[in-house]
Amino acid sequence: MKNKKYVKVMYGITSGADNDFKYKINQVNVSNNWNPSAKNGKDFGGFNYTTEDCILRWLHRGDTIYDVEIPNDAENIKIESSTTIYRTNKIIISNPRKVDDELALHFYKISKIPEKSYYKALGAVSIMNYRKTAYAIIKDKINESNINEVLEEWNDFISNGSENDRNELKGLVKEVNDKLNKIKGNIYENS
């Protein structure tokens, strides 16, 4: 794990997964709940983190990004899914930086995630109001031939519901939703 840079995105010093836990910066944080033999991802507990080239998909989970270091005595597991996630029982976070559209765009440019994950990432960056990043994804990844799959993933992500009120289409989320539906509409106009 030494060759890749690991990161974690959160709101300040709390995680969207457990906002009761207050992280300490530059210190070892120990999870209150750790069950690496769980069958369901939600039951694992611990701390999530990923690589810089996968973080794009998770940018809706916070406004601050941290570098991650895993202590030598920590337990660590790699969860393979559409984008790779790691979980550990001990984590050190450092170097907090506010995520803005420029940093989000940087993460998009270096991203290495499955094609389908970009469609959910579009939802993530739209929720966080990263306009340049959203439009870069649309320009590079979305067209008439894949718009049905894009809309399926987009709708699944946006209608997931949370305290962020994803169901209410407003601002950039509404703008992107309208743009995607316009692309879909062009299929019917051009056929």
Side-chain angles (χ1 to χ4, degrees):
M1 290 199 342
K2 296 289 183 204
N3 294 336
K4 289 190 176 198
K5 185 169 184 181
Y6 296 96
V7 291
K8 179 173 185 64
V9 65
M10 302 187 302
Y11 286 100
I13 58 168
T14 60
S15 166
D18 180 5
N19 59 12
D20 291 333
F21 188 93
K22 306 289 187 234
Y23 286 76
K24 299 170 281 189
I25 300 172
N26 296 316
Q27 296 180 43
V28 176
N29 294 275
V30 179
S31 177
N32 299 328
N33 175 25
W34 177 243
N35 183 9
S37 60
K39 301 294 181 219
N40 181 328
K42 293 180 180 184
D43 297 331
F44 281 118
F47 305 111
N48 289 339
Y49 67 99
T50 192
T51 56
E52 282 189 311
D53 58 4
C54 286
I55 197 66
L56 177 74
R57 167 65 181 81
W58 305 105
L59 289 181
H60 66 291
R61 297 278 177 102
D63 61 2
T64 306
I65 195 151
Y66 293 88
D67 294 340
V68 166
E69 181 183 339
I70 304 303
N72 290 335
D73 64 339
E75 293 181 54
N76 198 49
I77 56 176
K78 181 178 182 180
I79 301 171
E80 296 286 352
S81 61
S82 57
T83 55
T84 301
I85 293 290
Y86 299 89
R87 289 198 184 178
T88 185
N89 65 330
K90 297 179 183 179
I91 194 169
I92 301 168
I93 59 169
S94 63
N95 191 23
R97 296 153 335 265
K98 283 291 184 188
V99 180
D100 60 14
D101 203 2
E102 295 302 321
L103 187 54
L105 188 58
H106 163 74
F107 288 132
Y108 168 61
K109 289 177 180 176
I110 66 167
S111 64
K112 293 182 180 142
I113 58 179
E115 196 67 23
K116 196 172 182 178
S117 293
Y118 286 104
Y119 313 150
K120 289 212 194 288
L122 177 60
V125 299
S126 297
I127 287 169
M128 298 305 289
N129 203 35
Y130 302 142
R131 178 177 304 280
K132 289 181 196 173
T133 310
Y135 276 91
I137 293 171
I138 291 169
K139 178 181 173 279
D140 296 344
K141 302 289 182 184
I142 299 171
N143 56 58
E144 291 176 2
S145 67
N146 67 5
I147 191 61
N148 289 328
E149 183 178 21
V150 171
L151 279 167
E152 184 178 317
E153 293 298 312
W154 166 266
N155 289 329
D156 178 62
F157 186 84
I158 295 299
S159 68
N160 191 23
S162 72
E163 63 277 359
N164 294 338
D165 195 16
R166 290 188 206 167
N167 289 319
E168 186 178 334
L169 294 180
K170 58 186 177 188
L172 185 58
V173 174
K174 180 175 180 0
E175 188 180 316
V176 169
N177 189 68
D178 292 349
K179 176 81 171 163
L180 295 176
N181 282 300
K182 185 176 181 184
I183 293 168
K184 181 174 176 122
N186 284 341
I187 294 171
Y188 299 112
E189 291 172 16
N190 295 329
S191 52

